[in-house]
Amino acid sequence: MTELGGFNDRVARVDLTEGSVAYESIPDEDAKKYIGARGLGVKYVFDNGPDVDPTGSENILTFMTGPLTGSRAVMSGRIAVVTKSPLTGTVTDSHHGGWSGARLKWSGFDGLIFEGAAEEPVYAVIEDGDVELRDASHVWGMTTHEARDVLEEEVEGEYGKNLSFMGIGPGGENGVKYACIMNEDDRASGRGGTGCVMGSKNLKAVMVKATTDMPEPAAVETFTEGTSEAMSVVQESDVTAPNEGGLSVYGTNVLMNLTEEIDALPARNGKYTSTRAEREAEPEEPNMDSENVSGEYVRENILVDEPTCHSCPVACKKEVEVSTTVDGEDVDLRMESLEYEPAFTFGPNPMNEDIEKLAIMIDRCNKMGIDAIETGNIIAQAMEMDEKGYLEEGIDWGDADKMIDLIERIGRREDELADALAEGAAGAAAEFDAEDTRLDVKNQTIPAYDPRGMKGMAIGYATSNRGACHLRGYTPAAEVLGIPEKVDPVEAEGKGELLAVFQDLHAVSDSFDLCKFSAFAEGIEEYTAQYNGMTGRDISEDELTKAGERIYTLERYYNNLNGFDGEDDTLPERFLEDSEAGIPGKGAAEGELVEMDLLKDEYYSVRGWEDGVVPEEKLDELGIEVGPGTGVSGAASADD
C-alpha cells in the first residue's frame, strides 16, 4: 500500500467475465517510481504482459488518476485511459479533461482496471468507494449523447453537477480501430482505439457520481507555495493568461494561423505544407483558406460560450453554435468544442473551409464515438485514393456533405469503403492497394503539424510510443510559440535532445494528471513543488525528471517486446529526404524534407537506446524491473 498524499490507495479491479469486483492498494514502490495516472496505468499494462490481443479478453483497460487530480492544483482535472492499442499494437494512453477525473478521485478511487469481457453489455456505476455493474443492453447501439441522457436518469445524479459519463458509441461497439471514449460534453480519450477496447469488453459506459472532496496535501505549506507559483506563471504567460493569452482567447485553434504562416500545416492529405502553397500550386477548385476555419474566425462568427474544466482558469474550450443545411435538411447545432486538431483534419487536410459543416463533422464523430483526428485524416486519404483511381466510389476534395455521411458509415461499418476505413490508414491502403496515400506512423495518422516544416515533430512522430502523436513531446511549444525559447522549426540538429526533454516532462505532467497546456507556463520547478507538497515527498527536480524518463522508457520497452524497433521509427515517404516519393515543402518550408537518419541517431544517443531498443543497462539504470510478477520474462533485443 502507499501512504503518499494525493492517493486514496484504492483501485477497483473489475472482472467483466465473472461480473465481480475486487479492491486493491497501490504498491508504494510503484507509486513512487511511476507517479500515477499515465505512469501507473502503463505499469499495470506492462505487468499484464505484452503478448495479448488488444481486443481479446486478456487485455486490460485502465482508468487512472494522478496524485494531483481533483486537487487545488491548476489544470488538475484530467484522467488517463491506458491499454494496448488495437490501432497500433503499441501501448497507448489517452487523456481527457472535464470533471470525470476529479470525480473519480472524489468518489474514493485512484483508478479502475477492467479485465475480461462481459457476456452481455454492461455499464459501471462508481460511488462512495464502490463499483456496481448494471445491464446496458437497452443503451447498446445508442450514440454517446443518447446513452448519456438515459443513464443519467438511471443513476439519479445531476449531470454536470455531481455526475460524469465516460462511454462509447457505435464506433466502439463495432470495433472501429480508432474508436474513442467520450466524456461529458464532448471531451474525448482519443487516438489509439481506447473505445474499441471498451467495446470489445461489452462495457458501454462508466458513470461516476461524487461531490467535491479535494485531496488534502501532506505538506500544506509546500503545496500552497507550489500552486501559488504555478498560478502566477499561468497568469503571466502570453499563451495561458486568462482572457488574454492566445489559448484562453481563441482556444487550441489559435494555432491554425500560426502554423499556416510558417508553412507547417499539412494540406490536401499532406501534399502541401500550407493551404496558401496549395492554392498557388493548384489554382483550380477546390481551394481553401485556413483562415476560414481558424480560432479567430470561430470567435468572431460562431462562438457562444467558454466553459472550462476542473480547477482551470484558462478556459480553452470554445463552445459554438451553427445552422446549416446537410443533404437538403436544416441542421441546428450547439457543441463543445471546435479544437485545432479536428479543425485541421476536417479542414485543410481534406480541403474543406465550411466551418458550420466542420462543426457538424466533429459532433458526428463525438456521437459515433470515433476519434476526430483519425477520422478526418482517413477521409482525406480516401479523397486521394479516389483522385488516383483506387476507389470505385467517388469522394471529391472538400465535399462536406459526403464527409458527414461517411463519418456515420464508418462508425457503423455500414459498407465496404466504411469498413476498410475503420481499420485505419494501413488497413485502408492495403484493401485498395493504395500504399502511396497513407500518412501514418505505426497506423496512427499524423496530426496538424507538417514534419517538413517542424523537424522536432518529425522525430516526435517517428518515435512516439503510441504512433504518430504531437502530445508525447510537444516541440511546437519551442518551434512555434518560443517556449521555453524559440528554435528554428526547420533545423534538424538539436531536435532529438529537445524532443527527449519534452517527452520526459510530459510523462510527468500526464502522470500527475495535469493538462498538457500547463507546460506552456509551468516547468519542472513548479511541478516538483506541487508534487512534493501533495505527496509529502522531498525529491529533487532531477529525480522527478528521471521518473518521466522511466515512464517513457517503460512504454518503449513494452513496445520492443511487441516487436517494434528502430525500423518502425520512421515517417511516410512523402516527407523523407532521399525518397523518390518525397514532396519538398513550400513557402517558409521551401525545399524541406526530413533528415530521418540524422534525427534518429541524435535521439537514440540521448536516450541511450540501441536502434530503437532499450538495452538491459538502461533498464537497470532506471530501476525498471523485468521478470517474475511483471508479466514479462526477459529483455528485448534489436534482433527480436
PDB file of all heavy atoms in Angstrom, residues 40-58:
ATOM      1  N   LEU A  40       1.387   4.925 -13.788  1.00  0.00           N
ATOM      2  CA  LEU A  40       0.863   3.725 -13.131  1.00  0.00           C
ATOM      3  C   LEU A  40       0.032   2.892 -14.096  1.00  0.00           C
ATOM      4  O   LEU A  40       0.070   1.655 -14.055  1.00  0.00           O
ATOM      5  CB  LEU A  40       0.023   4.111 -11.913  1.00  0.00           C
ATOM      6  CG  LEU A  40       0.787   4.347 -10.610  1.00  0.00           C
ATOM      7  CD1 LEU A  40      -0.171   4.782  -9.508  1.00  0.00           C
ATOM      8  CD2 LEU A  40       1.554   3.103 -10.173  1.00  0.00           C
ATOM      9  N   GLY A  41      -0.725   3.565 -14.977  1.00  0.00           N
ATOM     10  CA  GLY A  41      -1.500   2.824 -15.967  1.00  0.00           C
ATOM     11  C   GLY A  41      -0.610   1.983 -16.854  1.00  0.00           C
ATOM     12  O   GLY A  41      -0.906   0.815 -17.145  1.00  0.00           O
ATOM     13  N   VAL A  42       0.495   2.564 -17.316  1.00  0.00           N
ATOM     14  CA  VAL A  42       1.446   1.820 -18.139  1.00  0.00           C
ATOM     15  C   VAL A  42       2.043   0.662 -17.362  1.00  0.00           C
ATOM     16  O   VAL A  42       2.230  -0.438 -17.904  1.00  0.00           O
ATOM     17  CB  VAL A  42       2.556   2.760 -18.658  1.00  0.00           C
ATOM     18  CG1 VAL A  42       3.680   1.965 -19.321  1.00  0.00           C
ATOM     19  CG2 VAL A  42       1.985   3.765 -19.645  1.00  0.00           C
ATOM     20  N   LYS A  43       2.328   0.871 -16.078  1.00  0.00           N
ATOM     21  CA  LYS A  43       2.884  -0.213 -15.261  1.00  0.00           C
ATOM     22  C   LYS A  43       1.892  -1.371 -15.138  1.00  0.00           C
ATOM     23  O   LYS A  43       2.272  -2.544 -15.232  1.00  0.00           O
ATOM     24  CB  LYS A  43       3.239   0.313 -13.868  1.00  0.00           C
ATOM     25  CG  LYS A  43       3.901  -0.736 -12.951  1.00  0.00           C
ATOM     26  CD  LYS A  43       5.224  -1.216 -13.515  1.00  0.00           C
ATOM     27  CE  LYS A  43       6.076  -1.941 -12.474  1.00  0.00           C
ATOM     28  NZ  LYS A  43       5.476  -3.144 -11.920  1.00  0.00           N
ATOM     29  N   TYR A  44       0.610  -1.076 -14.969  1.00  0.00           N
ATOM     30  CA  TYR A  44      -0.398  -2.137 -14.922  1.00  0.00           C
ATOM     31  C   TYR A  44      -0.467  -2.887 -16.256  1.00  0.00           C
ATOM     32  O   TYR A  44      -0.555  -4.117 -16.288  1.00  0.00           O
ATOM     33  CB  TYR A  44      -1.771  -1.558 -14.585  1.00  0.00           C
ATOM     34  CG  TYR A  44      -1.989  -1.230 -13.126  1.00  0.00           C
ATOM     35  CD1 TYR A  44      -2.271   0.080 -12.722  1.00  0.00           C
ATOM     36  CD2 TYR A  44      -1.932  -2.217 -12.147  1.00  0.00           C
ATOM     37  CE1 TYR A  44      -2.476   0.392 -11.388  1.00  0.00           C
ATOM     38  CE2 TYR A  44      -2.127  -1.912 -10.803  1.00  0.00           C
ATOM     39  CZ  TYR A  44      -2.402  -0.600 -10.430  1.00  0.00           C
ATOM     40  OH  TYR A  44      -2.597  -0.299  -9.106  1.00  0.00           O
ATOM     41  N   VAL A  45      -0.433  -2.150 -17.370  1.00  0.00           N
ATOM     42  CA  VAL A  45      -0.472  -2.783 -18.689  1.00  0.00           C
ATOM     43  C   VAL A  45       0.778  -3.619 -18.915  1.00  0.00           C
ATOM     44  O   VAL A  45       0.719  -4.731 -19.449  1.00  0.00           O
ATOM     45  CB  VAL A  45      -0.645  -1.714 -19.791  1.00  0.00           C
ATOM     46  CG1 VAL A  45      -0.454  -2.314 -21.180  1.00  0.00           C
ATOM     47  CG2 VAL A  45      -2.028  -1.073 -19.689  1.00  0.00           C
ATOM     48  N   PHE A  46       1.919  -3.105 -18.513  1.00  0.00           N
ATOM     49  CA  PHE A  46       3.186  -3.834 -18.644  1.00  0.00           C
ATOM     50  C   PHE A  46       3.140  -5.129 -17.834  1.00  0.00           C
ATOM     51  O   PHE A  46       3.507  -6.207 -18.326  1.00  0.00           O
ATOM     52  CB  PHE A  46       4.337  -2.950 -18.164  1.00  0.00           C
ATOM     53  CG  PHE A  46       5.689  -3.603 -18.223  1.00  0.00           C
ATOM     54  CD1 PHE A  46       6.397  -3.663 -19.410  1.00  0.00           C
ATOM     55  CD2 PHE A  46       6.256  -4.151 -17.081  1.00  0.00           C
ATOM     56  CE1 PHE A  46       7.652  -4.262 -19.466  1.00  0.00           C
ATOM     57  CE2 PHE A  46       7.512  -4.750 -17.119  1.00  0.00           C
ATOM     58  CZ  PHE A  46       8.207  -4.806 -18.327  1.00  0.00           C
ATOM     59  N   ASP A  47       2.688  -5.032 -16.597  1.00  0.00           N
ATOM     60  CA  ASP A  47       2.629  -6.215 -15.734  1.00  0.00           C
ATOM     61  C   ASP A  47       1.636  -7.247 -16.241  1.00  0.00           C
ATOM     62  O   ASP A  47       1.768  -8.445 -15.958  1.00  0.00           O
ATOM     63  CB  ASP A  47       2.256  -5.817 -14.299  1.00  0.00           C
ATOM     64  CG  ASP A  47       3.398  -5.116 -13.569  1.00  0.00           C
ATOM     65  OD1 ASP A  47       4.511  -5.064 -14.125  1.00  0.00           O
ATOM     66  OD2 ASP A  47       3.165  -4.598 -12.458  1.00  0.00           O
ATOM     67  N   ASN A  48       0.650  -6.790 -16.991  1.00  0.00           N
ATOM     68  CA  ASN A  48      -0.317  -7.720 -17.582  1.00  0.00           C
ATOM     69  C   ASN A  48       0.296  -8.524 -18.719  1.00  0.00           C
ATOM     70  O   ASN A  48      -0.272  -9.527 -19.150  1.00  0.00           O
ATOM     71  CB  ASN A  48      -1.536  -6.935 -18.090  1.00  0.00           C
ATOM     72  CG  ASN A  48      -2.679  -7.820 -18.526  1.00  0.00           C
ATOM     73  OD1 ASN A  48      -3.152  -8.673 -17.771  1.00  0.00           O
ATOM     74  ND2 ASN A  48      -3.132  -7.640 -19.755  1.00  0.00           N
ATOM     75  N   GLY A  49       1.448  -8.067 -19.204  1.00  0.00           N
ATOM     76  CA  GLY A  49       2.169  -8.790 -20.252  1.00  0.00           C
ATOM     77  C   GLY A  49       1.898  -8.233 -21.629  1.00  0.00           C
ATOM     78  O   GLY A  49       0.779  -7.799 -21.924  1.00  0.00           O
ATOM     79  N   PRO A  50       2.907  -8.243 -22.503  1.00  0.00           N
ATOM     80  CA  PRO A  50       2.740  -7.669 -23.842  1.00  0.00           C
ATOM     81  C   PRO A  50       2.027  -8.575 -24.832  1.00  0.00           C
ATOM     82  O   PRO A  50       1.454  -8.091 -25.808  1.00  0.00           O
ATOM     83  CB  PRO A  50       4.190  -7.433 -24.278  1.00  0.00           C
ATOM     84  CG  PRO A  50       4.953  -8.512 -23.568  1.00  0.00           C
ATOM     85  CD  PRO A  50       4.282  -8.682 -22.233  1.00  0.00           C
ATOM     86  N   ASP A  51       2.045  -9.861 -24.601  1.00  0.00           N
ATOM     87  CA  ASP A  51       1.541 -10.807 -25.591  1.00  0.00           C
ATOM     88  C   ASP A  51       0.039 -11.018 -25.433  1.00  0.00           C
ATOM     89  O   ASP A  51      -0.435 -12.108 -25.109  1.00  0.00           O
ATOM     90  CB  ASP A  51       2.283 -12.142 -25.470  1.00  0.00           C
ATOM     91  CG  ASP A  51       1.961 -13.079 -26.633  1.00  0.00           C
ATOM     92  OD1 ASP A  51       1.545 -12.573 -27.684  1.00  0.00           O
ATOM     93  OD2 ASP A  51       2.134 -14.300 -26.453  1.00  0.00           O
ATOM     94  N   VAL A  52      -0.718  -9.935 -25.657  1.00  0.00           N
ATOM     95  CA  VAL A  52      -2.173 -10.017 -25.554  1.00  0.00           C
ATOM     96  C   VAL A  52      -2.793  -9.424 -26.815  1.00  0.00           C
ATOM     97  O   VAL A  52      -2.239  -8.508 -27.429  1.00  0.00           O
ATOM     98  CB  VAL A  52      -2.717  -9.275 -24.310  1.00  0.00           C
ATOM     99  CG1 VAL A  52      -2.191  -9.904 -23.034  1.00  0.00           C
ATOM    100  CG2 VAL A  52      -2.371  -7.793 -24.354  1.00  0.00           C
ATOM    101  N   ASP A  53      -3.926  -9.952 -27.186  1.00  0.00           N
ATOM    102  CA  ASP A  53      -4.706  -9.402 -28.293  1.00  0.00           C
ATOM    103  C   ASP A  53      -5.404  -8.147 -27.770  1.00  0.00           C
ATOM    104  O   ASP A  53      -6.140  -8.212 -26.780  1.00  0.00           O
ATOM    105  CB  ASP A  53      -5.729 -10.437 -28.748  1.00  0.00           C
ATOM    106  CG  ASP A  53      -6.642  -9.943 -29.869  1.00  0.00           C
ATOM    107  OD1 ASP A  53      -6.592  -8.738 -30.201  1.00  0.00           O
ATOM    108  OD2 ASP A  53      -7.414 -10.767 -30.405  1.00  0.00           O
ATOM    109  N   PRO A  54      -5.205  -6.993 -28.422  1.00  0.00           N
ATOM    110  CA  PRO A  54      -5.810  -5.759 -27.906  1.00  0.00           C
ATOM    111  C   PRO A  54      -7.319  -5.834 -27.716  1.00  0.00           C
ATOM    112  O   PRO A  54      -7.859  -5.200 -26.804  1.00  0.00           O
ATOM    113  CB  PRO A  54      -5.439  -4.719 -28.970  1.00  0.00           C
ATOM    114  CG  PRO A  54      -4.174  -5.240 -29.570  1.00  0.00           C
ATOM    115  CD  PRO A  54      -4.331  -6.735 -29.576  1.00  0.00           C
ATOM    116  N   THR A  55      -8.006  -6.597 -28.556  1.00  0.00           N
ATOM    117  CA  THR A  55      -9.459  -6.725 -28.407  1.00  0.00           C
ATOM    118  C   THR A  55      -9.856  -8.068 -27.807  1.00  0.00           C
ATOM    119  O   THR A  55     -11.022  -8.440 -27.837  1.00  0.00           O
ATOM    120  CB  THR A  55     -10.171  -6.521 -29.761  1.00  0.00           C
ATOM    121  OG1 THR A  55      -9.673  -7.464 -30.713  1.00  0.00           O
ATOM    122  CG2 THR A  55      -9.960  -5.113 -30.273  1.00  0.00           C
ATOM    123  N   GLY A  56      -8.899  -8.784 -27.252  1.00  0.00           N
ATOM    124  CA  GLY A  56      -9.190 -10.030 -26.567  1.00  0.00           C
ATOM    125  C   GLY A  56      -9.468  -9.786 -25.094  1.00  0.00           C
ATOM    126  O   GLY A  56      -9.127  -8.737 -24.540  1.00  0.00           O
ATOM    127  N   SER A  57     -10.067 -10.760 -24.454  1.00  0.00           N
ATOM    128  CA  SER A  57     -10.453 -10.581 -23.051  1.00  0.00           C
ATOM    129  C   SER A  57      -9.246 -10.445 -22.126  1.00  0.00           C
ATOM    130  O   SER A  57      -9.363  -9.925 -21.018  1.00  0.00           O
ATOM    131  CB  SER A  57     -11.316 -11.768 -22.596  1.00  0.00           C
ATOM    132  OG  SER A  57     -10.592 -12.983 -22.699  1.00  0.00           O
ATOM    133  N   GLU A  58      -8.061 -10.888 -22.607  1.00  0.00           N
ATOM    134  CA  GLU A  58      -6.880 -10.814 -21.753  1.00  0.00           C
ATOM    135  C   GLU A  58      -6.305  -9.407 -21.657  1.00  0.00           C
ATOM    136  O   GLU A  58      -5.507  -9.113 -20.754  1.00  0.00           O
ATOM    137  CB  GLU A  58      -5.803 -11.791 -22.255  1.00  0.00           C
ATOM    138  CG  GLU A  58      -5.223 -11.448 -23.610  1.00  0.00           C
ATOM    139  CD  GLU A  58      -5.982 -12.060 -24.770  1.00  0.00           C
ATOM    140  OE1 GLU A  58      -7.181 -12.376 -24.613  1.00  0.00           O
ATOM    141  OE2 GLU A  58      -5.362 -12.238 -25.846  1.00  0.00           O
TER     142      GLU A  58
END
